[in-house]
Amino acid sequence: MASLSDIALAPSRPARLHLWLAAALVLAALASLQVGAADVTLSALAGKFMRGEALSPLERLILWDIRLPRLAMGALVGAGLAVSGAILQGLFRNPLADPGIVGVTAGGMLGAILAIVLGGLLPAAHLARTGGQLVPLAAFLGSWGATLLLYRVSTRGGRTSVATMLLAGIALAALAGALAGILIYMADDQQLRDLTFWNMGSLAGASWPKVLAAGPLVALALGAAMTLGRGLNGLAMGEATAAHIGINVQRLKTAAVLCAAAATGAAVAIAGAIGFVGIVVPHLVRLAAGPDHRTLLPASALLGATLLTLADVIARVIVAPAELPIGIVTAVLGAPVFLWILLRRKGGLA
Amino acid sequence: MSFIATDIHVRYGPREALRRVSLTARAGELTAIVGPNGSGKSTLMGALTGTLPFDGSVTLNGQDITRQRPWQLAAQRAVLPQDSRLAFDFPVIEVVRMGLQAGTAGDRPEVPMQALARVGLAHYATRSFHALSGGEAQRVMLARVLAQVWEPVADGQPRWLLLDEPVSSLDIGHQLQVMEIARDFARSGGGVIAVMHDLNLTALYADRIAVLAGGDRLAFGPPTEVLTDGTLSRAYGCALRVSAPPPQHVPYILPHAATP
Ligand SMILES: Nc1ncnc2c1ncn2[C@@H]1O[C@H](COP(=O)(O)OP(=O)(O)OP(=O)(O)O)[C@@H](O)[C@H]1O
Ligand SMILES: [Mg+2]
């Protein structure tokens, strides 16, 4: 039997969970800085640091220009995808929703493919002006374009129909897939290779410019997402009841869509299509801490960052000195977990 | 202070679900809405709560509800929906706590437990909502609604309970318990509007009854005036007989043509 004092104590539990997850993220980050193709280890570097010796240019290059931006990018992408998943699951009131279903990923894919295949047709001068970031830029615009289109299609008279958005997202993904098919048909061998890698998702192209381009956007989306917790909790009782307890439902839906599109769009732009993070991470958090979005959103950000960082470590060591695209690692680990989630569900898909 | 609906007209596409229905519910009273399936009871609730677009006007404590923000309305009235769904499996106490969002009892953490105790489910606080039976889930949702308007009167203004079929999946004991809660709320100065199917229970607890049929208001008034053979038979399309047995002479409704 629960007494009043048990319930008053409850808020300290999420705080503890967040501490644990933050500690796990630090450990994952250390592991990520430790491993790589080059024989540079943190312990050796720490030893040098203690003895007051300077790092060699090579060591500095590997740590500062290769491993750190990669770590930062993995953490950003992981946090962004996981939080987007948690937001969309709350919005659609379905624990199986995923950034992939609202067309954000499909739009990003179409943008990226357009840039890869048609980018070659652009005059070199135009291409140079994009600083070699044409593909991420196009992917980002594609994600946003898709989301805004969906949002427009599903909003009538100031009210957004979440069900329409879900179905229109499926249609849009199919359309993007068909267009992508045409482009793939036109592509040459090198472009096909680029495309395949982009589709599998990868952190291999990590660089500070990419981190600086996506970082503020993901950070902004995550920050805004943390204010959605109460509203998404209320939405679990349906839109009408959420409004009856005082939530401005239309504003909540708009904010949720914008946050998810910004975080997913930025993640897809720099790392390609990385699957399963958005579904599996929020589910694991719900198992550990329950469905309260005020806990779920920050915890998903931390766990998403941690798991993607670890997946990247696996991607780098498992076939060293080569590396796997990280999307393969998340799919191999995530798909079975996803199936397990499906089979565990009591009430079917309703 | 009252809840006044004037000439409410609601269309779903070409179909008219309510035709210029008016209703005045007073604080201190329990106002019941009855009528056959599809007669527009939930639709009227949708207009009163501001969920549905409608023609006509609804004022709550003297203010037009369409000009108020969701949290301003939430501070004045709580709504029990006809179904009690929940997408994610929250613990019972968290569901009740969601009623506090609008801030009327936000600084009173003891209210959710007291509201659960009021519906007789204090020992269920840490249970999972999805593991509840239909009737238990309905009572937990009632506790959430009670927590939202815990004081029947605050700042000199009555608070309102809008209940859509509050006893639909309850056993007879809990039906009486919930109706007592609703009547107590009204007797303490709050206002209650409840959609009901059980006419005998309605006769026992309602101060005023509105009878809807096919989107029209057939009758509106105290039970003894409204619950008559003619009105009910016309509304429900079957022969019903109303008697008022002593000593209290509360109307009592029986099917007339029931063949044993
Ligand atoms: N979303 C909708 N779209 C179209 N028609 C609707 C919609 N909701 C209700 N209706 C119709 O409006 C009429 C009134 O419905 P309402 O839900 O108000 O009935 P009710 O009196 O609450 O019935 P019940 O006792 O079964 O709950 C019905 O004929 C119903 O079919
Ligand atoms: Mg109804």
Side-chain angles (χ1 to χ4, degrees):
Chain A
M1 178 156 168
S3 69
L4 281 173
S5 61
D6 287 345
I7 288 148
L9 281 175
S12 72
R13 275 190 53 214
R16 245 195 349 252
L17 176 76
H18 293 148
L19 269 179
W20 278 111
L21 287 174
L25 178 56
V26 170
L27 289 181
L30 290 176
S32 169
L33 293 176
Q34 172 81 7
V35 306
D39 188 20
V40 175
T41 61
L42 276 186
S43 43
L45 295 182
K48 274 194 162 184
F49 185 75
M50 299 295 262
R51 291 192 298 275
E53 293 172 33
L55 301 187
S56 74
L58 178 70
E59 284 166 341
R60 192 169 307 191
L61 177 85
I62 286 175
L63 195 66
W64 181 249
D65 286 326
I66 296 178
R67 290 189 192 164
L68 262 178
R70 185 158 184 149
L71 164 64
M73 207 164 106
L76 274 177
V77 169
L81 290 176
V83 169
S84 297
I87 291 174
L88 293 172
Q89 286 149 23
L91 182 65
F92 291 113
R93 275 168 264 147
N94 187 328
L96 299 179
D98 173 80
I101 61 165
V102 279
V104 193
T105 315
M109 179 186 75
L110 189 61
I113 294 178
L114 269 172
I116 291 170
V117 176
L118 301 182
L121 305 177
L122 283 179
H126 282 283
L127 213 51
R129 218 174 292 156
T130 65
Q133 305 292 341
L134 184 63
V135 173
L137 195 68
F140 184 72
L141 293 178
S143 301
W144 266 87
T147 310
L148 293 184
L149 184 71
L150 280 179
Y151 193 67
R152 282 289 299 274
V153 167
S154 346
T155 307
R156 291 262 167 76
R159 289 180 188 223
T160 306
S161 156
V162 165
T164 309
M165 209 164 160
L166 199 70
L167 293 173
I170 293 170
L172 198 74
L175 186 65
L179 289 176
I182 298 175
L183 291 166
I184 287 169
Y185 188 70
M186 293 162 55
D188 63 32
D189 281 356
Q190 177 56 41
Q191 288 171 341
L192 274 182
R193 221 181 131 69
D194 287 352
L195 272 178
T196 312
F197 270 85
W198 197 88
N199 243 341
M200 289 188 292
S202 171
L203 297 176
S207 65
W208 283 121
K210 278 188 186 170
V211 170
L212 291 179
L217 204 63
V218 175
L220 202 70
L222 293 188
M226 298 311 145
T227 66
L228 303 178
R230 277 174 149 238
L232 291 176
N233 282 350
L235 211 53
M237 296 186 290
E239 287 183 20
T241 298
H244 295 155
I245 60 174
I247 295 167
N248 186 334
V249 173
Q250 185 57 32
R251 199 165 70 192
L252 171 71
K253 286 192 279 192
T254 308
V257 169
L258 287 179
C259 285
T264 313
V268 167
I270 57 173
I274 298 178
F276 294 101
V277 181
I279 283 193
V280 169
V281 170
H283 188 80
L284 292 176
V285 176
R286 273 191 216 100
L287 280 182
D292 189 333
H293 288 84
R294 289 168 299 180
T295 312
L296 179 66
L297 292 167
S300 292
L302 289 168
L303 187 63
T306 307
L307 289 186
L308 207 68
T309 302
L310 288 179
D312 185 46
V313 170
I314 294 173
R316 280 186 283 158
V317 300
I318 200 158
V319 292
E323 62 175 79
L324 278 179
I326 192 169
I328 293 182
V329 179
T330 61
V332 165
L333 297 177
V337 177
F338 181 62
L339 267 178
W340 172 68
I341 294 173
L342 278 176
L343 296 177
R344 260 179 48 104
R345 278 169 63 83
K346 285 165 277 182
L349 291 179
Chain B
M1 282 296 146
S2 37
F3 212 133
I4 306 173
T6 315
D7 290 337
I8 302 299
H9 207 93
V10 178
R11 288 179 196 82
Y12 293 113
R15 194 189 311 119
E16 290 178 327
L18 282 180
R19 270 185 297 271
R20 300 173 66 85
V21 169
S22 298
L23 180 99
T24 299
R26 299 204 192 110
E29 290 186 353
L30 195 158
T31 306
I33 303 172
V34 303
N37 293 138
S39 56
K41 303 182 298 297
S42 294
T43 303
L44 182 55
M45 278 298 211
L48 294 176
T49 58
T51 317
L52 282 177
F54 59 87
D55 292 331
S57 83
V58 176
T59 60
L60 167 55
N61 293 343
Q63 305 235 295
D64 184 346
I65 61 155
T66 56
R67 303 223 167 141
Q68 296 190 64
R69 318 294 289 158
W71 60 90
Q72 293 173 314
L73 289 173
Q76 300 178 74
R77 59 97 182 94
V79 185
L80 183 75
Q82 192 168 354
D83 54 7
S84 29
R85 281 167 307 157
L86 190 66
F88 298 101
D89 196 7
F90 285 87
V92 163
I93 187 72
E94 291 298 329
V95 177
V96 179
R97 218 176 253 157
M98 287 187 201
L100 298 187
Q101 292 215 3
T104 39
D107 47 354
R108 299 182 51 190
E110 76 282 6
V111 165
M113 272 311 281
Q114 292 174 349
L116 264 186
R118 192 83 174 82
V119 300
L121 290 175
H123 53 298
Y124 275 39
T126 54
R127 289 261 302 255
S128 112
F129 186 84
H130 284 176
L132 300 179
S133 76
E136 289 165 349
Q138 200 174 12
R139 283 154 60 206
V140 168
M141 284 300 180
L142 179 67
R144 167 182 68 74
V145 166
L146 289 175
Q148 186 176 334
V149 286
W150 190 241
E151 309 287 353
V153 180
D155 311 323
Q157 299 269 6
R159 297 290 182 255
W160 293 82
L161 282 176
L162 304 187
L163 312 172
D164 196 347
E165 301 192 22
V167 297
S168 57
S169 43
L170 303 186
D171 64 74
I172 191 157
H174 286 115
Q175 288 186 0
L176 292 173
Q177 183 193 36
V178 165
M179 292 315 293
E180 293 286 343
I181 291 174
R183 184 158 67 183
D184 282 354
F185 188 85
R187 294 294 174 263
S188 319
V192 182
I193 304 177
V195 171
M196 299 288 295
H197 274 307
D198 186 327
L199 295 174
N200 289 318
L201 212 52
T202 308
L204 213 49
Y205 286 96
D207 298 298
R208 264 158 208 284
I209 302 173
V211 184
L212 296 185
D216 294 307
R217 196 192 82 181
L218 284 194
F220 181 49
T224 43
E225 280 176 28
V226 167
L227 300 179
T228 60
D229 293 4
T231 306
L232 292 183
S233 302
R234 196 145 64 91
Y236 289 93
C238 58
L240 294 170
R241 173 176 288 168
V242 183
S243 56
Q248 289 158 306
H249 300 286
V250 173
Y252 183 78
I253 294 100
L254 269 179
H256 181 52
T259 39

